[in-house]
Amino acid sequence: MRMKKVFSGFLAMMVMGLLGQPAFASEDSSAHARTLIIYFSQPEEMKPGAVDGFSGASVLQKNTPETGSTQFIAQLIQKQTHGDLFRIETATPYPRQHDALLRVAEKEQQTKARPSLKTPHPDLSSYDTIYVGYPIWWYTMPMVIYSLFEQNDFAGKTVVPFTTHGGSRLADSLREIARMQPQAKLVTRALAISRNDISAPDVPAQVEQWVKQVQPQR
Ligand SMILES: Cc1cc2nc3c(=O)[nH]c(=O)nc-3n(C[C@H](O)[C@H](O)[C@H](O)COP(=O)(O)O)c2cc1C
């Protein structure tokens, strides 16, 4: 009898695994359980004096030196929505040195690269609302975000973009997302925060306010 119980528990776990339950446990299984925050962020090595004013190094006065600006915002969104959080990392890592990173990113854009992911992202079919975060790179989204939007189906899903930038705000990203995913419900009231404002004390409240406006209620 006991064996049977153990076995059926095991079986249930197997079935859940096969059904592709997200491996990224949500803290809240009720209101916002079907929310995913997926983002790309590339914190850079700080090298004083080596920063130009526009694309300048991702200055990290946030929580730790390892936290990128977009990552910081993604964490704030997660705290509020209790959604699942997934950080996109590319199979080939980017240089952490600013000038080298600028060059690699520029080359990727010129060659229309579609970098692959180091670890597969969660099954998007498990989510209704997907926050997608990215820094602006060379006046658009990093090419790995193009990989995400070209290689997945966001039809019917609420897509909520957020970005950090050095002056370009959302650049062309809303237009590009709409072009690649015309069937998605794209929230155009997207969040764009300058990397220079990331450490401002009112940023958490600003993000909270924004989430209240864009997060669909179930
Ligand atoms: C390769 C590269 C290209 C960039 N191009 C732009 C740009 O075209 N416009 C802009 O406003 N900021 C640009 N930036 C600045 C980043 O968007 C900004 O520092 C962002 O907050 C970095 O986010 P992260 O720390 O999450 O990676 C660029 C940064 C890098 C590294």
Side-chain angles (χ1 to χ4, degrees), residues 128-146:
D128 305 315
T129 302
I130 306 181
Y131 289 80
V132 183
Y134 43 87
I136 298 298
W137 275 9
W138 293 112
Y139 308 100
T140 189
M141 298 179 286
M143 292 298 108
V144 72
I145 300 294
Y146 279 78

Side-chain angles (χ1 to χ4, degrees), residues 19-22 33-36 121-130 152-155 157:
L19 288 176
Q21 292 293 315
R34 288 176 64 88
T35 295
L36 174 68
H121 57 67
D123 179 3
L124 301 188
S125 66
S126 306
Y127 300 95
D128 305 315
T129 302
I130 306 181
N152 291 283
D153 185 7
F154 287 76
K157 299 192 182 301

Side-chain angles (χ1 to χ4, degrees), residues 166-193:
S168 300
R169 298 188 58 78
L170 291 154
D172 65 354
S173 60
L174 294 187
R175 203 167 53 241
E176 285 293 84
I177 296 169
R179 178 181 65 75
M180 290 183 274
Q181 293 292 334
Q183 308 294 335
K185 292 181 221 154
L186 179 62
V187 171
T188 52
R189 191 187 277 192
L191 184 70
I193 296 195

